[in-house]
Amino acid sequence: MAFYKTEKTRKMSNTKLLIAAILMLFVFQVSAKDYNISDFGAKADGITVNTRTIQRAIDYISEHEGGRLVFAPGNYVTGSIYVKSDVTLHLEYGATILGSTNPFDYVKDPKVKWMSMIFAINQENIGITGKGTINGRGFITANNMVNYIHRGIYKDDLKYDRPRETNRPENIYFRECTNVIITDITLRDPASWNQTYDQCKNLYVDGIYVDSKSYWNNDGIDIVDCDGVVLKNSYFDAADDVLCFKSHDANSICQNVVVENCVGRSSANGLKFGTVSRGGFRNFKIKNITIFDTFRSAITFAAVDGGLIENIEVDSVRSINTGNVIFLRIGDRWSKGKKPSMKNITISNVYAEVPIGKPDIGYNYEGPIEDNPRNISPASIVGLPGYRIENVKLKNIEIVYPGAGNPLYAYRGTSTEELDSIPEMRDRYPEFSQWKELPAWGFYVRHADGVEFENVKLVADKKDYRPSIVIDDVKGTTFKDVIFDEPESEGKEQIIHSRSSDVTIK
Amino acid sequence: MNKLKSIILLFVLFCFLNGSAKDYNASIFGIKSNGTTLNTTAIQKAIDYIHEEGGGHLNFYVGRYLTGTIELKSDVQIILHEGAILVGSTNIYDYNIEMPNTALVYAKNADNISITGLGVIDGQGRDVAYSLIDQVHKGIIQDELKYDRPARRRPKGIYLRECKNVEISGITIKNTAEWVQMYDQCENLKIDKITVDSKAFWNNDGLDIVDCKNVLVTNSFIDSSDDAICFKSHDATKMCENVEVRNCVARSSASGIKFGTVTRGGYKNFKIINNKVYDTYRSAITIATPDGGEIENILVDSLNAYNTGNAVYLRIGQRNTQNGTGSMNNITIQNLYAEIPATKPDEGYEYEGPIEDLPRNISPASIVGLPGYDISNVTLRNIEIVYPGGSNPKYAYCGTKPADLDGIPEMAEKYPEFSQFKELPAWGFYVRHVKNLTFENVKLTAKDSEYRPAIVFDDVKGANLSGMQYSIPGKLKKLIKYKSTGIILK
Amino acid sequence: MTKYKLFIFSLFFILTLNLSAKDYKASLFGVKSDGVTLNTGSIQYAIDYISENGGGRLIFYVGRYLTGSFYLKPNVTIQLEEGAVLVGFHSVYDYFKLNDTNALILADKAENIGITGKGVIEGNGKAVLKSIKEQIQKGYLEENETQAKPALIYFDGCKNVTLNGVIMRNACSDVQVYTGCSNLKINKITVKSSVLPESKGLVLSDCDGFSLSDSFFEASGEELSSAGNSKNVSVTNTINSKGNKLNATK
């Protein structure tokens, strides 16, 4: 049998192998010795700043063959600490690591140039486990930082009246670490992004709960240029992008990633590749995710900084009450001569509902209301002339839109001139709403090669003045079993194509 | 006595009146108990409404009620039921900082008001103070930050001015940014069974009664980082009079019971009966008149002081002389027991009293007037003070030779504090510029040897000492008289 | 042209002014006087900031300021006003080492530094020793007591050092250690450190230009201890708790 594996099943077993390998590491770590943080003199009183005591405990364990540093129930205040090789922080149920609210208790690491509560740089076999909590208390810390900036003793230009992300502590920042395990913990209220794993190898995240809407730029999780990642069974609620993959380094790539059984809520995007996308993203298998009450797209893949995006499989997505469902975009923002690309993207088994109102209303740090007279935007697949998106397969998709596009409110027709009036926006920040009004209510595809729609159902609850699908400058499009459901639309031409070749409708 | 009786009668009358008053629940006015909704305007509306409707009870039940400054009006009774907490906003701009005395609860010229019940007023004063300091550092609010803290605009817990028929009882008041409660020129004030926990920031006096008439403070517990029970006189034309303090316990990182420091008008007819002071940095009782006020008819009876830096400090000073120099007459202290430690009595408390730049050994109780301004008619009866002894003349020395005694500065203009003279020449009592002094059954104990005598009299005119007892290991020098006349020992 | 020159000149003037020493209140940096907030991060940030901005004094007014080890940097003076107490944190892990010497206040080859005022540096020695003993007993601290005990002050290779007026108390180890410093002036200080045994008042080695005057030493170890070759040492009008005059030869 093994000799007859298809390309697809081989990929599958690779993933399984990856999970198995990482799981094995986990088992190894569990067998190491346990140390209680209180034995090192740390106080769980919620007042004492334990930074140096925790650091000393980590150093000691790392120097003595490793083990788990166990936090019993209680509140442990700390500033910046560095996790070292062979050390796992284990937070028992009821144990909380509280971030100090004094910004001066944090280090801006000279290598990563970012502030964080828990750092690890260049370490291996490390982890944070247990049902306890890491609470950055970031709202207070960030506001204290604002105060110091106003007093003139800390330099920051307060762009948008907030300190830069790098001048506010994250909860976790791991860089160039190998064999990292993050399981079961709750991560809440950072002052900046919540957790960054940057150029790490073999990262295993399982069963974490993330509540991240205490201040601006509160991402849920940021996985940057990592190789070998399993992220599963986790829940995220974030003010900014929630399941976020980035590529900061043009010479690195974020690859071999499995995401399974995750639920996300965001006042930005649900599953996001980018925005910073210098190296790129390769070999992702994303299965069974739910995105809800999310301001922007459930899925955004952006290749805008010269990086590549290829071999991405997304299977089983439930997207309820999100501003947009799918947004694939090539841009030319910080490419510096590199050629961005996107190819071999499969998205299947999607059920999505897009609301007429703001999907994240009432959440802390709601997404910004834009200056857009626009009707509800369609899902979009938009390359650039010369940088085309290749081989996108959309299978078993149902998207329920509110429809009701009103041409008196905002209008974009489908004549060649009107389609050409849609700017390319090469160097802009990529966002599904960036063009304001688009000429379709279901899908808008531009500058792409090989787009396959199979068993796709697009529903508009109310009559919309626009057609369902517009394709512009697309080579090779197949529509198989594509159904439109819009009131009063008898005889309406739902697919408009312009300058496109090889359009097949089955 | 008659006056006191009439006060009590009046209060009984109020209680009766209150019984028929109308009850309002806070929620009627949209006041929220969640601890995050800022209720300032809603609470103020409630008070205004009840006031205009002829008075009544405003009931707060269990919950956290966040608020900025609220102003009490006549005939409004605030009831904080058990578990109800009036929580001060941490934003300085939520307070009436334009007023000279900003406070969480404010009233002026109100009649028949009260705050009662078993609830709490929590000023969140440390955070309020930090909020104010932050505004100063940003240059939005001007303050020179003397001692690195704002001199003005820190909200008190309660400030009542020229109010009549006031009752504060049952409640706990804690964590204010400045003095906890100040009653200024009020009449008929009753404070009963309150708990004060105030170590949140600097100048956290426990209770300040300023130029009030007819005051009864009973059964209360006060723990504060500055003076605990404090009588002041800010107005040279007013006085603090007819005051009784009974059955109270005080802890302070300054003085336990204090008359002063600001003493312009003065104090008359006080009864301080059956109180306790412990873990207190300065004196168990300080009576000072540095600003021209007159002090008359003060009875201190049954005062127990444990672990207190000093027992008694009576002082006339000349800090401000535009109203002349003050006087102190007819002071009786009886049934006093005090234990003075060798170590810092308030160690470990938040906002500990400041360590002074003093090479000094343990200071004696002191009664110190000024040349030409004697403290007169002082009686000390049934007194026991236990000192640690163990003074080291190499560390700090003050002998009893004329040059030594004359070398002790008068310090007329200085802030009056028992430790102001640094080393004093006695370990038990130092008395200077006093007329008609009676010591009756006074027992002085030093647990370790002393290079100093027990008592030094300097410029004392007429003293009767009877039933004196001394206990000290090693050599005892009892009494050094210097420039004194009419000293009779029995 | 002249206007331009004037402009440059005034700019230069402003620059020089800005670079001259300034006074900074501790609260500017979020330092808290409540005796419970661990201020290490804020104090170190303040010192670094002042040093990088032309130097000056970091002023502590009355209050208790909890801190772990910090470094003094060039052109920075800690001014402890009367009633200000710098309190050493109880945990041994909050102390740093410089050349194998642990201390609350460290300085490494810094010039123009000082600690002045009538305030107090409180070593909290008993509590620190308790933490050390506990950690040694548990096996987490792999050095002996002597190695782990922090001094109050350790300055190495510093130039133009001023200590004036301060009270230093209850060191866990020695009170002051100065090695390889030059032009060190100590005046009117009070040392009281006899709660733990063998606490030396002042340890001097390989210094050039040391003067100590008008001070009081009560220490459980030697009041003044000289190791190595120090030059130009003068001690005047300084006594111990027995009233004996201390001198340079001891």
Side-chain angles (χ1 to χ4, degrees):
Chain A
M1 275 292 281
F3 297 103
Y4 300 102
K5 272 182 183 162
T6 61
E7 170 78 17
K8 196 176 168 187
T9 50
R10 199 157 62 239
K11 254 197 240 158
M12 271 293 270
S13 54
N14 275 349
T15 339
K16 275 188 184 153
L17 218 70
L18 178 70
I19 298 187
I22 290 178
L23 264 176
M24 221 143 82
L25 287 167
F26 184 59
V27 175
F28 271 121
Q29 292 217 342
V30 165
S31 62
K33 203 178 159 189
D34 277 359
Y35 297 86
N36 289 319
I37 186 63
S38 60
D39 281 341
F40 290 86
K43 297 266 180 292
D45 55 8
I47 296 166
T48 306
V49 181
N50 292 297
T51 315
R52 293 195 181 163
T53 300
I54 297 173
Q55 189 59 61
R56 171 64 194 205
I58 291 170
D59 294 350
Y60 179 89
I61 297 168
S62 181
E63 286 156 17
H64 291 81
E65 292 166 353
R68 299 198 312 173
L69 181 57
V70 179
F71 292 74
N75 291 303
Y76 304 84
V77 179
T78 185
S80 292
I81 53 171
Y82 282 78
V83 177
K84 304 283 176 68
S85 289
D86 307 310
V87 178
T88 295
L89 304 182
H90 184 74
L91 313 179
E92 289 182 352
Y93 188 60
T96 298
I97 296 185
L98 284 176
S100 163
T101 55
N102 182 355
F104 298 146
D105 283 338
Y106 295 92
V107 171
K108 188 165 180 176
D109 183 84
K111 184 183 170 108
V112 305
K113 298 186 175 58
W114 204 298
M115 278 186 171
S116 181
M117 181 185 350
I118 306 178
F119 276 115
I121 316 268
N122 245 314
Q123 306 296 320
E124 55 182 38
N125 306 324
I126 57 172
I128 307 175
T129 62
K131 290 190 183 303
T133 299
I134 294 171
N135 180 351
R137 296 196 286 184
F139 180 76
I140 306 172
T141 312
N143 279 294
N144 285 340
M145 193 52 141
V146 170
N147 290 342
Y148 290 137
I149 292 163
H150 281 303
R151 293 177 190 182
I153 60 166
Y154 197 93
K155 277 216 166 62
D156 189 290
D157 54 8
L158 284 181
K159 196 179 166 191
Y160 301 125
D161 212 357
R162 60 180 99 138
R164 289 188 171 273
E165 288 122 296
T166 54
N167 290 337
R168 289 179 255 138
E170 291 196 42
N171 281 336
I172 297 174
Y173 199 122
F174 286 0
R175 163 94 184 213
E176 288 170 54
C177 292
T178 308
N179 305 334
V180 178
I181 286 170
I182 309 289
T183 55
D184 299 333
I185 55 168
T186 293
L187 284 158
R188 61 187 313 131
D189 299 352
S192 179
W193 299 358
N194 202 323
Q195 44 184 332
T196 299
Y197 307 95
D198 189 358
Q199 299 188 22
C200 292
K201 259 189 104 157
N202 300 341
L203 167 66
Y204 181 85
V205 182
D206 188 2
I208 66 169
Y209 181 96
V210 176
D211 184 346
S212 196
K213 38 189 197 307
S214 49
Y215 200 71
W216 296 106
N217 314 99
N218 267 210
D219 282 3
I221 183 168
D222 290 277
I223 294 171
V224 185
D225 293 324
C226 289
D227 187 358
V229 178
V230 175
L231 166 57
K232 59 182 194 174
N233 305 325
S234 295
Y235 178 90
F236 298 86
D237 181 0
D240 212 324
D241 296 333
V242 68
L243 298 163
C244 193
F245 296 88
K246 289 185 166 78
S247 179
H248 285 174
D249 188 332
N251 301 312
S252 293
I253 199 160
C254 210
Q255 61 183 352
N256 304 323
V257 177
V258 176
V259 179
E260 265 184 23
N261 305 331
C262 287
V263 178
R265 203 296 307 174
S266 167
S267 286
N269 295 283
L271 172 66
K272 169 138 178 198
F273 290 7
T275 306
V276 183
S277 47
R278 294 198 178 95
F281 310 89
R282 189 163 57 197
N283 303 337
F284 275 61
K285 196 164 172 60
I286 294 152
K287 197 173 174 186
N288 196 20
I289 59 169
T290 300
I291 307 293
F292 70 100
D293 291 4
T294 287
F295 183 55
R296 302 190 193 272
S297 288
I299 299 168
T300 294
F301 296 160
V304 295
D305 301 327
L308 60 84
I309 298 183
E310 70 182 44
N311 300 338
I312 312 294
E313 244 181 81
V314 182
D315 179 13
S316 302
V317 178
R318 219 179 133 76
S319 168
I320 305 297
N321 196 29
T322 65
N324 193 255
V325 184
I326 296 167
F327 180 55
L328 310 187
R329 174 71 170 146
I330 290 179
D332 189 5
R333 186 179 66 152
W334 302 337
S335 306
K336 293 188 177 158
K338 265 187 88 181
K339 190 179 167 185
S341 69
M342 192 182 311
K343 63 181 170 194
N344 304 336
I345 314 288
T346 304
I347 300 174
S348 56
N349 303 315
V350 176
Y351 176 79
E353 292 171 4
V354 176
I356 188 93
K358 192 162 185 284
D360 68 331
I361 203 153
Y363 284 90
N364 285 0
Y365 288 96
E366 268 185 45
I369 294 165
E370 289 157 38
D371 169 39
N372 278 342
R374 65 169 173 88
N375 292 296
I376 296 300
S377 302
S380 317
I381 300 168
V382 183
L384 284 173
Y387 300 146
R388 303 172 73 82
I389 295 176
E390 298 168 61
N391 301 331
V392 178
K393 187 166 184 184
L394 302 162
K395 191 179 169 187
N396 305 337
I397 310 261
E398 179 174 354
I399 305 177
V400 181
Y401 287 98
N406 179 353
L408 298 175
Y409 176 58
Y411 178 79
R412 184 90 73 183
T414 53
S415 70
T416 311
E417 296 77 41
E418 284 165 320
L419 292 181
D420 283 348
S421 75
I422 300 169
E424 298 291 349
M425 297 195 147
R426 303 179 72 90
D427 53 1
R428 287 300 175 77
Y429 190 93
E431 215 69 272
F432 78 93
S433 57
Q434 65 186 133
W435 296 284
K436 305 200 177 184
E437 186 72 354
L438 283 175
W441 59 262
F443 262 99
Y444 172 67
V445 187
R446 196 185 203 187
H447 311 309
D449 297 339
V451 181
E452 225 177 293
F453 289 80
E454 186 183 337
N455 190 26
V456 173
K457 185 178 181 187
L458 299 173
V459 180
D461 281 342
K462 286 192 174 137
K463 186 177 183 310
D464 199 295
Y465 79 92
R466 300 166 296 182
S468 181
I469 298 178
V470 168
I471 59 173
D472 181 8
D473 183 26
V474 179
K475 287 181 200 133
T477 316
T478 312
F479 295 97
K480 189 182 173 198
D481 301 326
V482 178
I483 304 166
F484 306 100
D485 182 353
E486 182 189 358
E488 303 165 56
S489 65
E490 211 162 310
K492 180 175 175 182
E493 209 177 332
Q494 291 286 25
I495 300 176
I496 303 287
H497 51 87
S498 169
R499 283 169 301 207
S500 296
S501 53
D502 302 327
V503 180
T504 315
I505 302 178
K506 290 179 187 169
Chain B
M1 261 321 259
N2 274 339
K3 264 186 186 158
L4 262 169
K5 267 183 192 162
S6 61
I7 302 173
I8 292 172
L9 211 88
L10 269 170
F11 274 120
V12 170
L13 205 68
F14 291 141
C15 290
F16 182 70
L17 277 177
N18 287 349
S20 63
K22 211 176 158 192
D23 269 308
Y24 299 88
N25 284 356
S27 62
I28 287 192
F29 301 94
I31 296 166
K32 302 290 193 293
S33 62
N34 59 352
T36 50
T37 304
L38 187 65
N39 289 303
T40 318
T41 43
I43 296 175
Q44 192 58 59
K45 176 69 202 175
I47 291 167
D48 294 351
Y49 181 87
I50 295 169
H51 168 68
E52 281 155 24
E53 292 290 307
H57 299 162
L58 178 56
N59 289 286
F60 290 86
Y61 289 92
V62 57
R64 292 174 65 83
Y65 300 86
L66 191 68
T67 183
T69 297
I70 51 171
E71 183 180 354
L72 293 187
K73 303 273 174 76
S74 291
D75 305 312
V76 178
Q77 325 290 332
I78 304 270
I79 304 179
L80 299 174
H81 292 275
E82 187 165 0
I85 311 176
L86 211 55
V87 181
S89 161
T90 56
N91 185 341
I92 188 66
Y93 297 120
D94 288 331
Y95 295 87
N96 57 344
I97 53 172
E98 71 285 355
M99 306 293 282
N101 283 288
T102 171
L104 183 62
V105 179
Y106 166 87
K108 189 169 180 187
N109 274 320
D111 188 357
N112 182 28
I113 54 174
S114 71
I115 308 173
T116 60
L118 299 173
V120 177
I121 296 175
D122 181 349
Q124 300 205 95
R126 195 172 296 175
D127 289 330
V128 178
Y130 292 154
S131 158
L132 174 55
I133 289 170
D134 183 54
Q135 291 302 306
V136 173
H137 279 305
K138 288 172 179 169
I140 309 294
I141 288 179
Q142 307 303 316
D143 191 294
E144 63 176 79
L145 289 184
K146 197 179 167 193
Y147 302 123
D148 214 352
R149 59 180 103 133
R152 294 183 50 224
R153 300 187 186 83
R154 272 185 279 145
K156 296 176 170 68
I158 299 174
Y159 175 72
L160 306 184
R161 165 103 187 188
E162 291 168 58
C163 292
K164 268 184 203 153
N165 305 319
V166 178
E167 180 183 351
I168 309 290
S169 70
I171 59 168
T172 294
I173 316 177
K174 60 184 194 181
N175 302 337
T176 52
E178 209 220 36
W179 298 356
V180 172
Q181 47 189 329
M182 174 174 175
Y183 305 96
D184 192 2
Q185 299 184 19
C186 293
E187 256 177 71
N188 300 343
L189 168 65
K190 181 187 167 189
I191 296 175
D192 184 37
K193 294 195 187 77
I194 65 163
T195 302
V196 172
D197 177 0
S198 202
K199 307 184 282 294
F201 203 70
W202 296 104
N203 313 95
N204 267 220
D205 280 5
L207 167 64
D208 289 279
I209 290 170
V210 184
D211 294 323
C212 290
K213 255 184 214 162
N214 307 336
V215 178
L216 182 61
V217 181
T218 49
N219 308 316
S220 293
F221 174 85
I222 294 178
D223 178 2
S224 59
S225 57
D226 212 324
D227 296 329
I229 298 173
C230 192
F231 308 104
K232 291 185 166 78
S233 176
H234 286 176
D235 190 330
T237 67
K238 299 273 185 324
M239 249 191 151
C240 232
E241 56 189 316
N242 302 332
V243 176
E244 181 168 337
V245 177
R246 200 182 267 274
N247 304 336
C248 291
V249 178
R251 205 297 305 175
S252 168
S253 285
S255 289
I257 297 166
K258 169 141 177 192
F259 291 62
T261 307
V262 181
T263 312
R264 297 205 177 93
Y267 314 96
K268 206 155 66 181
N269 303 334
F270 273 63
K271 291 183 178 156
I272 314 281
I273 297 171
N274 196 28
N275 299 290
K276 285 193 186 75
V277 173
Y278 72 99
D279 291 3
T280 286
Y281 183 52
R282 303 191 193 272
S283 301
I285 182 155
T286 296
I287 304 179
T289 175
D291 304 325
E294 80 185 71
I295 303 183
E296 180 107 26
N297 297 338
I298 311 292
L299 170 68
V300 178
D301 187 3
S302 303
L303 176 63
N304 286 302
Y306 306 97
N307 195 30
T308 296
N310 187 252
V312 176
Y313 185 56
L314 309 186
R315 178 84 231 242
I316 294 176
Q318 285 174 326
R319 186 173 66 161
N320 289 301
T321 49
Q322 65 259 48
N323 311 309
T325 299
S327 64
M328 204 181 298
N329 187 31
N330 288 338
I331 312 290
T332 301
I333 299 176
Q334 59 190 18
N335 303 315
L336 168 88
Y337 175 80
E339 290 171 3
I340 315 299
T343 52
K344 193 160 185 288
D346 67 332
E347 196 166 325
Y349 284 90
E350 286 181 36
Y351 288 96
E352 269 183 40
I355 295 167
E356 289 155 39
D357 170 41
L358 294 181
R360 67 167 173 88
N361 292 296
I362 297 298
S363 302
S366 310
I367 303 170
V368 184
L370 283 173
Y373 300 98
D374 290 323
I375 295 176
S376 55
N377 302 323
V378 177
T379 301
L380 296 160
R381 187 182 293 127
N382 303 334
I383 306 283
E384 180 174 0
I385 306 177
V386 181
Y387 288 97
S391 61
N392 179 353
K394 299 289 192 290
Y395 175 57
Y397 179 80
C398 182
T400 51
K401 295 196 179 100
D404 289 321
L405 296 179
D406 288 339
I408 299 169
E410 297 291 349
M411 293 198 144
E413 287 134 44
K414 286 293 174 67
Y415 189 93
E417 213 70 90
F418 78 93
S419 56
Q420 65 185 131
F421 309 101
K422 304 201 177 183
E423 185 73 352
L424 282 174
W427 58 264
F429 262 100
Y430 174 69
V431 184
R432 196 184 203 187
H433 312 307
V434 174
K435 196 160 66 187
N436 295 338
L437 176 66
T438 306
F439 273 40
E440 199 179 312
N441 291 330
V442 173
K443 183 177 179 188
L444 299 173
T445 301
K447 289 188 191 158
D448 203 346
S449 63
E450 272 285 351
Y451 81 89
R452 302 171 293 186
I455 302 176
V456 168
F457 281 178
D458 177 359
D459 184 25
V460 173
K461 302 161 191 92
N464 261 299
L465 286 79
S466 61
M468 297 298 295
Q469 293 179 66
Y470 305 93
S471 164
I472 186 170
K475 216 174 107 195
L476 167 68
K477 281 181 278 180
K478 285 183 184 166
L479 172 64
I480 300 290
K481 288 171 278 184
Y482 178 63
K483 291 184 183 165
S484 296
T485 52
I487 312 295
I488 300 161
L489 286 153
K490 281 180 199 158
Chain C
M1 260 322 254
T2 31
K3 259 188 190 166
Y4 182 70
K5 266 185 191 162
L6 211 77
F7 178 66
I8 296 270
F9 181 76
S10 53
L11 255 183
F12 184 76
F13 191 65
I14 289 165
L15 217 69
T16 340
L17 270 182
N18 280 346
L19 283 176
S20 70
K22 267 176 77 174
D23 281 353
Y24 297 87
K25 287 176 172 150
S27 71
L28 179 64
F29 300 91
V31 173
K32 305 281 178 9
S33 62
D34 57 9
V36 286
T37 304
L38 184 59
N39 289 303
T40 321
S42 279
I43 292 175
Q44 189 63 64
Y45 186 88
I47 291 170
D48 293 352
Y49 179 88
I50 294 169
S51 183
E52 284 159 19
N53 288 275
R57 301 193 306 168
L58 179 60
I59 306 182
F60 293 81
Y61 288 90
V62 54
R64 292 174 66 82
Y65 300 86
L66 206 57
T67 184
S69 288
F70 60 85
Y71 276 92
L72 264 183
K73 298 287 174 68
N75 306 313
V76 177
T77 294
I78 301 278
Q79 167 76 11
L80 299 171
E81 293 290 342
E82 183 170 348
V85 189
L86 220 48
V87 183
F89 194 59
H90 68 268
S91 167
V92 57
Y93 298 131
D94 280 70
Y95 293 86
F96 281 155
K97 264 186 181 166
L98 170 64
N99 311 329
D100 289 329
T101 300
N102 247 339
L104 182 64
I105 306 179
L106 295 156
D108 184 12
K109 297 174 192 64
E111 289 187 22
N112 306 323
I113 56 173
I115 306 173
T116 56
K118 293 179 172 181
V120 179
I121 304 169
E122 163 65 57
N124 209 0
K126 253 187 179 168
V128 180
L129 185 62
K130 186 173 162 236
S131 158
I132 290 170
K133 284 187 162 158
E134 208 177 87
Q135 292 303 306
I136 288 175
Q137 189 234 327
K138 285 177 179 158
Y140 297 144
L141 196 58
E142 293 165 304
E143 46 190 10
N144 63 37
E145 241 176 71
T146 316
Q147 291 167 319
K149 286 192 324 189
L152 283 190
I153 293 175
Y154 174 50
F155 292 172
D156 178 57
C158 296
K159 220 186 253 180
N160 306 332
V161 179
T162 307
L163 268 86
N164 195 321
V166 289
I167 301 165
M168 295 180 228
R169 304 197 311 194
N170 305 328
C172 191
S173 165
D174 300 328
V175 178
Q176 313 165 68
V177 182
Y178 304 102
T179 58
C181 295
S182 57
N183 191 18
L184 181 56
K185 284 187 181 135
I186 302 179
N187 186 23
K188 286 186 183 154
I189 64 163
T190 304
V191 170
K192 278 196 143 192
S193 188
S194 50
V195 176
L196 299 179
E198 292 165 54
S199 176
K200 293 175 188 162
L202 193 156
V203 181
L204 193 68
S205 71
D206 303 315
C207 290
D208 185 1
F210 170 83
S211 73
L212 168 63
S213 59
D214 305 311
S215 297
F216 176 86
F217 279 71
E218 180 187 312
S220 53
E222 273 181 285
E223 286 99 1
L224 297 183
S225 161
S226 190
N229 312 309
S230 291
K231 290 183 289 188
N232 304 318
V233 175
S234 92
V235 177
T236 50
N237 194 25
T238 292
I239 57 167
N240 67 12
S241 57
K242 295 176 193 89
N244 300 327
K245 278 214 159 179
L246 302 179
N247 56 50
T249 54
K250 194 178 172 184

